[in-house]
Amino acid sequence: MWEVTVICTRCNFQFVEFEVIDRHACSKSFNLFLSQAARISDTKAMKSPNVSTVTEFQLLGFQNLEWQTLLFAIFLFIYFLTVTGNIVIIAVVSQEKRLHSPMYTFLKHLSFLEIGYTSTTVPLLLANLLSQRRAISFPACIAQLYFFVFFGATECFLLAMMAYDRYLAICSPLHYCFLMSPEICTKLVAISWLTGLGTGFLPSLMISKLDFCGPNQINHFFCDLPPLMQLSCSSVYITEMVIFILSVAVLCICFFLTLVSYAFIVSSILRIPSASGRMKTFSTCASHLAVVTIYYGTMISMYVRPSAHLSPEINKIISVFYTVVTPLLNPVIYSLRNKDFKEAVRKVMRRNHGICGCFNLCFKDEENKNGNSGPGREHSMKRGSSQGKPGMEEIDESGEKGKS
């Protein structure tokens, strides 16, 4: 007969002695007791005030990949283009009175969002690519998580508002000025920002209340919800359910409303009598819808899914799409393919600096592809702006003639 006493060296808890009467049963009984003792000790350790908690995290990022300098150069170039493109949009829309319409008001706020959204994650990613420490404090991690959710949720709401604006402009052009007045546009923008501001609080608060007692290595390039919940040593069931319900409410509902709006837009495009008008308008709608689908698709695949997690490397690749790629695509799709915006850029640059050579070269190539160059273009643009008619610029003379 043997007596066995188990003492947890981690928490200094001594458990009750037990006896085994069979030599061969000793090992089996001992292992069973150890597993039970470990669970008890972990529970008491988390409740003990003397147990140390995590004060900082290590962001592993892309350290397993070679050519860190090359990745740094690529992400830095994309970040520079994203910030520069969105700043240009904000400056041009603010200075050019012709662009003071609901469509461009939404676009200006989207540019603000994209700058904040990508600046929440990319600068830290760039710093970690050249650093060996890759540390972020716990308060800074929670702050990054909050701003990431805040900007992401606000963008979802704003994209849905923009789709609704395009629906009214194309499907109800005669009632557009009444249904989308400047006051209503301002209210919709304010609702988007305030709703996103409130959406970011709940996930950040619930994550900050979790216990983190080690390890502290986040296998991601920023403080995201799934890897943080994986590191917690407390129960995350309620947190996972709340975040799942919130993700469904924000992502799926906004995506559904956006798709419904574009479905009505496509239906209206198909009724345009001119084949060239249909192709131009459908090309722009397809570009908008492609960017929206990439953004919503990657976000939904990350946050609206069962508890079974994808591999960390796949999560990083998916996250790159909605944190790095879509903020770059939005200014390209929504502005550089827009005739009115490109003309406004030329006017602002001539008025302020007297130079527009490089922009003219970039825009001229795009126009030659679309066949939009010529003196009639400026005339049609002036006519539309003088009448105050909103809508996609591609629905120009062909769309108007068909309706008349």
Side-chain angles (χ1 to χ4, degrees):
M1 182 179 296
W2 293 268
E3 285 189 355
V4 179
T5 302
V6 179
I7 299 177
C8 178
T9 58
R10 176 183 176 187
C11 307
N12 293 325
F13 293 128
Q14 180 172 342
F15 300 98
V16 181
E17 298 178 352
F18 69 95
E19 297 180 351
V20 292
I21 59 176
D22 188 294
R23 183 170 183 174
H24 297 287
C26 179
S27 177
K28 184 177 180 180
S29 301
F30 182 71
N31 291 334
L32 179 62
F33 186 79
L34 275 182
S35 62
Q36 297 174 349
R39 287 195 295 268
I40 297 174
S41 64
D42 286 340
T43 303
K44 293 185 177 182
M46 287 187 290
K47 296 179 180 179
S48 175
N50 296 325
V51 178
S52 61
T53 58
V54 171
T55 58
E56 68 175 19
F57 294 104
Q58 299 290 329
L59 293 171
L60 300 183
F62 298 98
Q63 68 174 10
N64 295 330
L65 300 178
E66 298 179 356
W67 307 102
Q68 297 285 302
T69 306
L70 178 60
L71 288 176
F72 173 83
I74 293 174
F75 285 123
L76 178 62
F77 181 67
I78 295 176
Y79 180 66
F80 173 77
L81 290 181
T82 301
V83 175
T84 303
N86 284 290
I87 288 177
V88 168
I89 291 175
I90 295 170
V92 172
V93 173
S94 300
Q95 294 185 37
E96 185 59 34
K97 293 183 179 180
R98 182 182 301 168
L99 302 183
H100 291 177
S101 63
M103 180 179 74
Y104 292 102
T105 300
F106 285 121
L107 182 60
K108 183 173 69 172
H109 283 272
L110 180 64
S111 297
F112 274 116
L113 273 175
E114 297 293 15
I115 293 175
Y117 187 59
T118 191
S119 298
T120 302
T121 57
V122 176
L124 183 61
L125 169 61
L126 295 174
N128 290 337
L129 285 173
L130 298 181
S131 174
Q132 297 296 328
R133 191 164 180 266
R134 297 184 173 92
I136 181 172
S137 65
F138 184 80
C141 184
I142 298 299
Q144 185 188 46
L145 176 64
Y146 169 75
F147 283 106
F148 171 74
V149 177
F150 161 50
F151 286 122
T154 306
E155 183 169 349
C156 290
F157 297 126
L158 193 61
L159 288 175
M161 301 296 182
M162 292 177 69
Y164 175 67
D165 172 72
R166 295 301 83 216
Y167 160 74
L168 292 179
I170 295 176
C171 300
S172 300
L174 299 179
H175 302 89
Y176 179 83
C177 294
F178 173 74
L179 297 176
M180 189 57 69
S181 63
E183 294 78 12
I184 295 178
C185 176
T186 303
K187 291 179 181 179
L188 293 178
V189 170
I191 290 173
S192 300
W193 281 98
L194 292 176
T195 310
L197 188 70
T199 304
F201 275 113
L202 187 58
S204 304
L205 180 63
M206 299 191 72
I207 293 294
S208 65
K209 297 297 182 181
L210 297 177
D211 296 313
F212 297 93
C213 44
N216 67 336
Q217 293 183 335
I218 299 177
N219 195 2
H220 213 307
F221 60 88
F222 71 99
C223 293
D224 201 5
L225 292 168
L228 282 173
M229 288 189 290
Q230 290 178 8
L231 288 181
S232 176
C233 54
S234 56
S235 176
V236 295
Y237 176 76
I238 297 179
T239 304
E240 282 185 337
M241 292 303 300
V242 171
I243 292 175
F244 176 80
I245 295 173
L246 187 64
S247 300
V248 171
V250 174
L251 293 172
C252 294
I253 294 178
C254 290
F255 187 40
F256 175 75
L257 293 177
T258 303
L259 288 180
V260 170
S261 298
Y262 275 101
F264 282 106
I265 290 173
V266 171
S267 175
S268 179
I269 291 173
L270 295 177
R271 292 195 296 268
I272 296 177
S274 172
S276 60
R278 285 197 303 267
M279 289 302 299
K280 290 178 183 179
T281 311
F282 185 77
S283 174
T284 300
C285 287
S287 302
H288 293 183
L289 192 58
V291 174
V292 168
T293 303
I294 291 174
Y295 178 75
Y296 279 113
T298 52
M299 293 281 281
I300 290 173
S301 66
M302 279 291 294
Y303 304 108
V304 185
R305 64 185 186 192
S307 59
H309 300 284
L310 298 175
S311 68
E313 302 305 321
I314 296 179
N315 286 340
K316 295 175 190 177
I317 295 174
I318 294 175
S319 299
V320 166
F321 276 96
Y322 59 79
T323 58
V324 180
V325 176
T326 53
L328 174 64
L329 292 179
N330 279 330
V332 175
I333 297 299
Y334 286 99
S335 62
L336 294 184
R337 291 175 56 87
N338 187 311
K339 294 187 304 181
D340 292 352
F341 182 84
K342 289 186 289 186
E343 188 66 26
V345 170
R346 292 192 187 96
K347 287 188 61 177
V348 170
M349 295 191 69
R350 284 196 296 264
R351 184 169 60 246
N352 295 340
H353 304 289
I355 55 172
C356 57
C358 61
F359 279 90
N360 280 334
L361 290 176
C362 296
F363 294 153
K364 194 174 295 182
D365 293 339
E366 183 69 22
E367 290 172 358
N368 290 335
K369 294 178 182 178
N370 297 333
N372 293 328
S373 60
R377 175 186 44 145
E378 184 176 357
H379 173 71
S380 63
M381 180 181 62
K382 289 181 179 178
R383 181 185 60 186
S385 61
S386 62
Q387 291 176 353
K389 286 186 179 181
M392 289 187 178
E393 71 288 347
E394 286 77 2
I395 304 181
D396 48 7
E397 296 179 352
S398 61
E400 292 172 3
K401 289 179 181 178
K403 290 175 182 177
S404 61

